[in-house]
Amino acid sequence: MKAKRVAVAVDVGSRSTKVAAVCRQEDGSEQVLATAQSEYEAQHGARGMVKQDAETWYTAFVDALEQVLRKLDPALHRVSEIVLSGQMQCVVCVDGGRPLMPAILYSDTRATEEAAELTKIFGGADKIAALTGNFKGAASCMAKALWLSRRKAAVLTIARHVLFGAHSFVAWRLTGRAACDRTTAQTTSFSNKNADAWCADIFEQGPRELAGDWKRLMPDLVAVNEPLATLEKGLMGISGLDSTLAATFGATPVAIYHGPGDLGTTTLGAATVRARAEAEGGRVSKNYIYIGTSGWIARCEPDNANAAEGANDGVFRIAHPRSGMQIVASPMTTCGGNVEWIRAMLRDPSGDNTAYAKLDALAGSCDPGANGVLYLPHPNGERAPLQNPHARAAMVGISGETTQAHLARAVLEGVAFHLRWLAEAGHMFADADEAVVVVGGGARSTVWCQILATVLGRPVVVNKTESIDTAVLGAASCVTTDEEPSAAAAKDLVKRFEPEDFSYSALYTAWRAVYDALQGPYAELQKVA
Ligand SMILES: Nc1ncnc2c1ncn2[C@@H]1O[C@H](COP(=O)(O)OP(=O)(O)O)[C@@H](O)[C@H]1O
Ligand SMILES: O=P(O)(O)OC[C@H](O)CO
């Protein structure tokens, strides 16, 4: 039997790289043949620094790819394409073959002063947003770039390129090409509004450092549905990959696609979950929620709808991977990342972080309201609905009665409160009958999904197939199909959570009041942090 062509889809996330081998069936549907994941950490430092060794993105990609290849059948499968997606809004400078610095991640807020300086130079954050589509203060790549010019000038003199996506780094390691997709470009504040070119005005009107080094370092803007390069030796051309596996599954040319950043691929994947949910009955909101390390509430709309010229409302307006559409996303800097913190705090006696299942059991063992403990989920500042790089996480209401279970539940409820705030600020869930699709690692927690349904006052729907990450699903669709997902023929693919008979309204109001009350202290606390 002739071997089938297999696409390898990749999501280089904040905490792990996920890989899936996907095969297009004759009826047009996608069959997921194998999945794997390889984890890594971020390093947190003073003044809001959040860094990652970019090289670990590549080694995790190779590790997860090897795991996937080991699950394939050599008689049946040949890898013909690799499509890459990943976390966006990073800054990493590279020379001819190596990263020259740890990657500065999206959640890093070290460039607060530079963001303020840029805002002044351009005459307001709204003016920068009018030029570039989006400006997210210290989180923007432009502010981080200026910080590097001021503090790490030596790196820039030897740098050949800057990369803005973790997937761009892996693409560069595979092909030698420094590239960026439109979705990621629009998170940088370096591109024009359509992200079809880097923004000349930013280089001409900004500080001289931007016109010098940074203009020279910009990667090529590329289309996500055309190969970035072809590895003529196939998988054999991937350095570090087990040579036997490479020869077995991909000795013929393999096309490498620089796919969209994870906001684009997650939105594509979420559309599939929505189509499945609709096929099983009931109305489903156009807005979906993503709980990864970061998070967001997002929807697609026609490119010309809701054109908020130069809006500085914390919302991202980003090119959809399919033309003619845009993604409108309210981002949350740290979403599932809060769970990683509480898992570490409630570490087992063995020293291991609390397992997800145990955390779920703890949070599910106490009543809604966590016995009056409130958690503010902002360890790395916040981008929306209000921008405050100095915001930090807080627990309020701890008493002698507080248990680990209350702390665990308070974290899950605190994230849900923030998502409710984003939804209300963006008027996202007008109709209480509409269910909302939740995707990302957090959707695996049944307790969290139940809390979300009750806090948001509407049903929550998640994919039942836990083994495949939504961004990977979306990345795969970039090369296997160019159509919007239609109602799935198969049933029983989603799980639904109805709101419980409990009102979170009073607690939510108290949570908002605590956030407001902390604004003064946050400004003071950052002086000693
Ligand atoms: N079983 C689980 N229960 C609760 N949360 C989970 C579970 N698995 C993953 N998560 C959450 O998912 C997040 C990672 O999601 P993921 O979509 O893999 O994101 P990323 O691409 O940012 O690495 C973690 O921060 C964690 O909060
Ligand atoms: O790693 P994720 O999935 O939390 O995504 C990070 C985003 O790309 C940040 O803008």
Side-chain angles (χ1 to χ4, degrees):
M1 189 193 283
K2 196 168 168 244
K4 286 186 185 162
R5 292 163 63 88
V6 170
V8 167
V10 183
D11 172 25
V12 190
S14 305
R15 292 267 312 170
S16 67
T17 289
K18 297 118 201 158
V19 172
V22 181
C23 195
R24 187 152 201 209
Q25 305 284 87
E26 273 170 20
D27 67 359
S29 65
E30 289 157 5
Q31 183 191 8
V32 179
L33 303 167
T35 62
Q37 179 164 343
S38 183
E39 296 188 350
Y40 35 78
E41 301 280 334
Q43 290 83 48
H44 293 257
R47 295 178 300 286
M49 290 188 184
V50 190
K51 302 180 279 188
Q52 217 155 39
D53 174 6
E55 197 56 25
T56 61
W57 296 333
Y58 183 75
T59 49
F61 156 72
V62 171
D63 175 40
L65 177 59
E66 285 183 356
Q67 292 181 54
V68 158
L69 294 177
R70 288 200 173 93
K71 295 176 191 171
L72 298 184
D73 182 340
L76 293 181
H77 304 130
R78 283 289 168 279
V79 174
S80 54
E81 287 135 340
I82 297 178
V83 55
L84 299 154
S85 177
Q87 55 173 318
M88 312 175 298
Q89 227 181 358
C90 325
V91 174
V92 55
C93 291
V94 297
D95 67 6
R98 299 170 304 144
L100 293 167
M101 51 181 270
I104 304 178
L105 298 198
Y106 59 93
S107 44
D108 188 304
T109 54
R110 72 181 73 180
T112 311
E113 283 171 22
E114 287 74 15
E117 184 182 333
L118 289 163
T119 305
K120 203 164 157 205
I121 291 172
F122 285 98
D126 53 340
K127 297 283 190 316
I128 304 177
L131 291 173
T132 66
N134 296 286
F135 180 58
K136 296 290 168 275
S140 77
C141 299
M142 179 168 55
K144 290 165 181 162
L146 192 56
W147 186 96
L148 279 168
S149 290
R150 305 267 156 88
R151 322 283 171 105
K152 302 278 175 195
V155 166
L156 299 184
T157 54
I158 52 170
R160 288 219 204 145
H161 307 286
V162 58
L163 300 169
F164 298 122
H167 53 308
S168 312
F169 182 84
V170 174
W172 171 74
R173 286 286 273 104
L174 289 172
T175 67
R177 281 198 65 189
C180 186
D181 58 282
R182 288 174 69 207
T183 308
T184 302
Q186 281 181 317
T187 68
T188 64
S189 299
F190 272 122
S191 76
N192 67 14
K193 278 184 79 171
N194 292 330
D196 47 22
W198 299 111
C199 181
D201 291 336
I202 289 294
F203 300 117
E204 282 159 20
Q205 297 168 26
R208 66 184 161 69
E209 292 94 329
L210 298 185
D213 290 323
W214 292 99
K215 192 173 177 191
R216 168 180 70 83
L217 295 172
M218 287 295 131
D220 295 339
L221 284 163
V222 296
V224 296
N225 53 1
E226 288 165 18
L228 181 67
T230 299
L231 301 182
E232 293 301 334
K233 289 197 225 156
L235 298 183
M236 311 275 280
I238 298 184
S239 95
L241 188 70
D242 180 279
S243 54
T244 311
L245 281 173
T248 309
F249 291 103
T252 47
V254 171
I256 308 293
Y257 288 79
H258 185 299
D262 64 357
L263 176 57
T265 46
T266 303
T267 302
L268 288 172
T272 300
V273 184
R274 181 164 180 262
R276 289 174 180 174
E278 281 184 328
E280 292 188 22
R283 292 167 52 228
V284 187
S285 171
K286 277 204 303 190
N287 292 283
Y288 73 90
I289 293 177
Y290 166 66
I291 305 182
T293 306
S294 74
W296 54 73
I297 308 181
R299 68 172 177 279
C300 292
E301 51 185 43
D303 219 350
N304 53 5
N306 192 20
E309 190 72 22
N312 184 34
D313 51 6
V315 172
F316 273 118
R317 290 172 182 80
I318 302 268
H320 188 274
R322 298 205 171 99
S323 60
M325 301 291 281
Q326 67 171 344
I327 305 170
V328 181
S330 291
M332 183 171 175
T333 302
T334 312
C335 193
N338 289 285
V339 158
E340 300 313 312
W341 174 77
I342 193 72
R343 288 178 65 212
M345 289 302 113
L346 303 182
R347 210 169 276 134
D348 286 341
S350 66
D352 292 340
N353 287 353
T354 303
Y356 290 118
K358 187 169 169 198
L359 195 82
D360 246 24
L362 277 171
S365 71
C366 59
D367 291 336
N371 205 26
V373 181
L374 294 173
Y375 176 71
L376 285 96
H378 312 113
N380 304 300
E382 196 43 85
R383 297 187 276 188
L386 301 176
Q387 285 185 32
N388 184 355
H390 303 313
R392 291 293 177 263
M395 283 274 189
V396 177
I398 292 174
S399 73
E401 274 195 316
T402 303
T403 63
Q404 290 194 340
H406 298 134
L407 300 181
R409 188 169 185 103
V411 169
L412 303 187
E413 290 182 343
V415 172
F417 288 150
H418 192 93
L419 290 166
R420 174 166 165 175
W421 188 17
L422 284 179
E424 286 181 1
H427 307 289
M428 284 165 154
F429 301 128
D431 188 339
D433 289 341
E434 282 186 344
V436 57
V437 165
V438 177
V439 298
R444 295 197 182 119
S445 161
T446 51
V447 176
W448 212 350
C449 290
Q450 186 58 66
I451 288 172
L452 270 168
T454 310
V455 167
L456 298 172
R458 68 194 53 253
V460 154
V461 183
V462 300
N463 211 358
K464 259 192 186 167
T465 331
E466 287 178 359
S467 60
I468 183 153
D469 166 82
T470 322
V472 171
L473 188 65
S477 76
C478 289
V479 289
T480 54
T481 176
D482 53 10
E483 288 159 20
E484 283 298 310
S486 53
K491 295 277 176 199
D492 201 27
L493 293 172
V494 298
K495 196 157 137 190
R496 201 176 153 102
F497 298 82
E498 298 294 336
E500 284 175 305
D501 189 17
F502 177 85
S503 171
Y504 272 105
S505 291
L507 282 167
Y508 172 67
T509 305
W511 181 93
R512 289 281 302 272
V514 172
Y515 183 81
D516 289 347
L518 285 174
Q519 295 310 299
Y522 282 148
E524 207 44 49
L525 291 176
Q526 58 100 17
K527 294 179 189 161
V528 292

